[in-house]
Amino acid sequence: MIFGAYNDRLLYFALIFGGVSVVAAVIARHSWQQFQDALKAPLSWCNGDVPCQREWDFRYWRRMARIMAGLSILLSILWLVP
């Protein structure tokens, strides 16, 4: 009973981090599509830096989704440990 008093909180946080992971993955997918569209568009003086911004954006959200999924899995394992 390492986490006996916090057992319910571990489950709640695992579910919350799992939900945040799904949301971040959806945002990353949308950002990836925007990045691909920005690469297809011709560059001009007003949108020359858009691909660089989109590249950082989808990488950030993809990393966030993986971290949150990992935390969710870790907290789920800790919740299962008696």
Side-chain angles (χ1 to χ4, degrees):
M1 294 289 287
I2 298 171
F3 298 108
Y6 300 107
N7 205 11
D8 290 339
R9 290 182 185 168
L10 288 174
L11 176 63
Y12 297 146
F13 282 123
L15 292 174
I16 288 170
F17 285 135
V20 170
S21 172
V22 170
V23 170
V26 168
I27 293 172
R29 178 69 178 159
H30 182 68
S31 296
W32 172 250
Q33 290 173 349
Q34 285 181 343
F35 175 65
Q36 287 181 331
D37 292 341
L39 288 178
K40 293 177 187 175
L43 295 178
S44 67
W45 64 272
C46 63
N47 67 354
D49 62 342
V50 171
C52 295
Q53 291 174 356
R54 296 294 180 208
E55 181 180 357
W56 182 86
D57 195 34
F58 83 81
R59 286 182 179 175
Y60 170 78
W61 287 108
R62 185 176 58 190
R63 187 178 314 124
M64 184 65 68
R66 289 180 179 168
I67 290 171
M68 291 297 136
L71 283 173
S72 176
I73 291 169
L74 176 68
L75 290 174
S76 297
I77 291 171
L78 291 175
W79 175 69
L80 290 174
V81 173

